[in-house]
Amino acid sequence: MIRKRHHKGNIRKRGRNHKNKTRFKMSAGGVRSTVRVPSTLANFLVYTPKDTKEGMEHQQILYYWNPSDPIETQSKLLGLSQAFINFTSKFSPNQPCEVAHYEKHTSVFLEPEPTYWIVMRCTVPTSTKHKDGKEVIEYRDYELDDAALKSTQKRIYQIFKMFNGSFLSIIKSGGEESLKAKLAEWIPRIISSIKCDRMN
């Protein structure tokens, strides 16, 4: 698997001809179909780093979406996110990497407040072609707009803050459980309207 990491400012925009829809074409060699699957929100994570015992890393998680993911999947995303942030910060401490492109997912990282991180991960759009009984899948990560993804992630935080206050102020007044409760109440409402394929 080839992993590509793009630092701040390396933005690629979707062309006008990239449309997320299903198309069917006829060719001399038989029926050839192209099926395009748009990008969707895969995971949304809010966490704060802290010392935990081995196997209890998930205690750092303040909020996690996708509800279908087991705790093992949540902990894995947490670990990968922390490793990526820690690794890239060594090379660019004053300008942290905000977007990471992988083959099947694009992750966006934001530290809206000191020691509080938001990770938003979207699937990469795909184009599947069937010809002569063979299936070829193309991952079209160039269709995702880094600037739009970052803007959406920041807007989610700003909406939450507008109605509830900052993470730190909630912690100060009601503790960590209060912050978890507010995130669980508000974040699903905000992200329910997210369409990753329309962030351009």
Side-chain angles (χ1 to χ4, degrees), residues 3-12 84 96-102 107 141 146:
R3 295 186 175 183
K4 299 173 286 182
R5 297 182 176 90
H6 298 269
H7 292 262
K8 183 178 180 181
N10 189 356
I11 299 169
R12 295 169 296 170
F84 178 81
C97 185
E98 297 174 313
V99 182
H101 289 266
Y102 302 94
S107 295
D141 66 329
D146 291 359

Side-chain angles (χ1 to χ4, degrees), residues 50 52-53 56-62 78 176 180:
K50 54 185 174 182
T52 56
K53 295 182 180 179
M56 303 298 289
E57 293 82 3
H58 63 275
Q59 292 180 350
Q60 301 175 63
I61 298 175
L62 299 172
L78 171 66
E176 187 174 284
K180 288 182 177 180

